[in-house]
Amino acid sequence: MKIAAVGDPAFISVFELLGAEGFEASNDDLLSVLRKIVEEDYALVVLPEKYVEATRILREQLAREGRVTPLFAFLPTEPASRGARVEELRK
């Protein structure tokens, strides 16, 4: 199972130590990085929770296509973004 960690260098370095492949991304290039990851058949993508909103359209598109992978796991890293994924799930 291939695992990708996407975010800033500090975020991805922790997951690289655990065996994930790290992909540096900012708000500007996040979607292009994720599209590459989706094409390479990763099973899990770990991202900071601040990217919940920025990835919504891509995740919805993958769901409409019937894709069950990759699974997107959002982790809270900043107080301002905490709870964003929970709020999305409540809707």
Side-chain angles (χ1 to χ4, degrees):
M1 170 172 65
K2 291 170 49 174
I3 300 172
V6 180
D8 63 47
F11 181 84
I12 65 174
S13 65
V14 174
F15 296 98
E16 288 175 325
L17 289 172
L18 299 171
E21 187 167 346
F23 295 87
E24 284 189 44
S26 63
N27 289 337
D28 297 332
D29 62 353
L30 176 65
L31 292 177
S32 64
V33 169
L34 287 175
R35 285 189 184 97
K36 284 186 212 175
I37 290 170
V38 168
E39 290 173 7
E40 294 181 22
D41 293 323
Y42 280 82
L44 176 64
V45 181
V46 182
L47 305 106
E49 193 173 35
K50 67 182 180 180
Y51 292 137
V52 167
E53 212 39 59
T55 61
R56 182 185 312 272
I57 292 172
L58 175 62
R59 292 182 290 118
E60 289 173 350
Q61 176 186 1
L62 294 172
R64 280 192 302 274
E65 293 173 3
R67 300 275 310 257
V68 293
T69 58
L71 172 68
F72 289 84
F74 295 95
L75 303 179
T77 56
E78 301 170 10
S81 70
R82 289 195 177 152
R85 179 66 176 140
V86 172
E87 287 303 314
E88 180 183 64
L89 292 172
R90 286 185 181 156
K91 292 179 183 180

